[in-house]
Amino acid sequence: MSDADRIRALLDKPEFPRSAAYEPRWLLENSMGPNPVWLTEWLCEVMELESGMRVLDLGCGKAISSVFLAKEFDVSVYACDLWIGPDNNWRRAQEAGAAERVTPLRAEAHALPFASGFFDAVISIDAYHYFGTDQLYLGYLASFVRPGGRIGVALPSLLEELDEPPAHLLEPQANGKVFWESELWSLQSPAAWRRRWERCGQVELERVDTQAEGWRHWRDHELASELAGTSPFPSDAEALERDAGRTIGFVRAVARRNQAEAMNTNDPSLGVRFGIDV
Ligand SMILES: C[S@@+](CC[C@H](N)C(=O)[O-])C[C@H]1O[C@@H](n2cnc3c(N)ncnc32)[C@H](O)[C@@H]1O
């Protein structure tokens, strides 16, 4: 079997039929995490996107989730990212034939340049843990969503609360890479996301669940990236195999914006309320 055939076999997932229409090389070269298009398809199973909706893709990276949303659901996507600039993502959207419906922007998640209630939906793929672990963040993000609109995230997850990193994830893999890094403490368990989102007054939590066989999908994506030579990092496939879904997987969460007033807690002019001249 050629490498191209092995890559195709690794990425062949009946669970993600829409993703199967996209070129493996394009998916691998433009993934910054474990297959954003698979995660987007999984999230959209429970998000009800309708043609013409305005959708924020927050932390879109190379915007392939944005292209996927535009093409599969005919929505207008604002593809926002901090590290990847709009020139890069605009070129990719054009090449993918999605330029009419993808607007790329560089934006910091705590200083979003949009009007209140502007979006019908917000999604975030493999990015929310970079900025959303602060209890105040979801209320801030909700301020950009119309009442009744949805916020959905899909991202890597601890499957249970941990006090210590598991020993098997601290052992070096054959390639020398140790899976567990201190940054992994930013991954939350489904229970932790549930608690945080349930306590947010601006949304009603609809769902928090984990992906069946998520670790296998992640492992297969690692193996395919390694074969294709597209990842800047050594593969984590061996550690994921060792873990076999005991500790690491994917979580998705979906909430609906309610009518409660949302305060933009990141608005510097809030100082005015304290009598400070801003
Ligand atoms: C692991 S990458 C995932 C990118 C893409 N969603 C994917 O799955 O390929 C995390 C992304 O989060 C974005 N990000 C991190 N912190 C951010 C912030 N404060 N504001 C906006 N984006 C942020 C980064 O720019 C990066 O592209």
Side-chain angles (χ1 to χ4, degrees):
M1 207 192 253
S2 70
D3 278 359
D5 288 339
R6 287 168 68 202
I7 290 169
R8 211 166 270 286
L10 285 163
L11 298 186
D12 177 19
K13 298 278 178 186
E15 294 91 333
F16 310 115
R18 288 177 185 264
S19 305
Y22 294 78
E23 261 306 304
R25 185 101 219 156
W26 184 79
L27 292 172
L28 293 171
E29 280 175 354
N30 297 309
S31 294
M32 292 170 66
N35 207 320
V37 168
W38 286 346
L39 290 178
T40 309
E41 184 165 356
W42 180 54
L43 179 59
C44 289
E45 285 171 10
V46 292
M47 279 281 291
E48 289 177 46
L49 295 177
E50 287 165 22
S51 172
M53 279 183 164
R54 248 193 320 261
V55 179
L56 171 62
D57 183 357
L58 186 55
C60 66
K62 296 187 182 177
I64 59 173
S65 48
S66 313
V67 166
F68 177 85
L69 289 173
K71 293 185 101 158
E72 299 297 321
F73 300 99
D74 190 32
V75 291
S76 282
V77 188
Y78 288 72
C80 290
D81 200 69
L82 189 59
W83 307 340
I84 307 296
D87 291 346
N88 197 292
N89 281 340
W90 179 232
R91 180 179 43 74
R92 207 171 351 269
Q94 286 175 312
E95 286 168 2
E100 296 300 312
R101 281 161 293 156
V102 174
T103 304
L105 292 168
R106 193 189 297 277
E108 205 288 318
H110 298 85
L112 294 173
F114 301 107
S116 305
F118 185 69
F119 291 106
D120 297 298
V122 174
I123 73 140
S124 182
I125 303 297
D126 189 13
Y128 196 74
H129 51 306
Y130 287 86
F131 41 78
T133 55
D134 169 359
Q135 181 63 37
L136 293 174
Y137 188 73
L138 183 59
Y140 165 73
L141 185 58
S143 72
F144 299 99
V145 180
R146 66 163 168 80
R150 287 190 168 75
I151 298 174
V153 300
L155 62 158
S157 166
L158 298 180
L159 296 174
E160 307 221 320
E161 309 271 331
L162 295 179
D163 293 324
E164 307 263 332
H168 64 279
L169 295 180
L170 288 167
E171 273 170 41
Q173 302 174 99
N175 63 13
K177 179 158 188 284
V178 175
F179 180 83
W180 188 272
E181 297 163 342
S182 61
E183 287 77 9
L184 286 183
W185 285 121
S186 68
L187 303 187
Q188 313 282 298
S189 68
W193 285 120
R194 174 175 290 285
R195 197 164 50 241
R196 182 162 289 127
W197 282 35
E198 274 175 348
R199 290 174 174 175
C200 172
Q202 284 76 31
V203 301
E204 308 304 330
L205 182 64
E206 292 187 327
R207 169 189 291 268
V208 178
D209 60 6
T210 55
Q211 190 176 65
E213 302 287 296
W215 72 271
R216 270 186 217 280
H217 300 322
W218 189 341
R219 177 202 62 185
D220 292 347
H221 190 261
E222 290 287 303
L223 291 171
S225 305
E226 192 175 26
L227 274 172
T230 50
S231 173
F233 308 111
S235 164
D236 280 320
E238 183 189 323
L240 290 163
E241 175 92 40
R242 211 186 283 155
D243 187 57
R246 278 181 284 166
T247 316
I248 299 289
F250 294 111
V251 64
R252 70 183 164 185
V254 178
R256 192 163 181 271
R257 168 85 161 93
N258 61 24
Q259 302 284 345
E261 193 185 334
M263 182 167 74
N264 180 342
T265 46
N266 296 302
D267 179 355
S269 69
L270 278 182
V272 170
R273 294 201 194 174
F274 295 93
I276 297 162
D277 185 8
V278 293

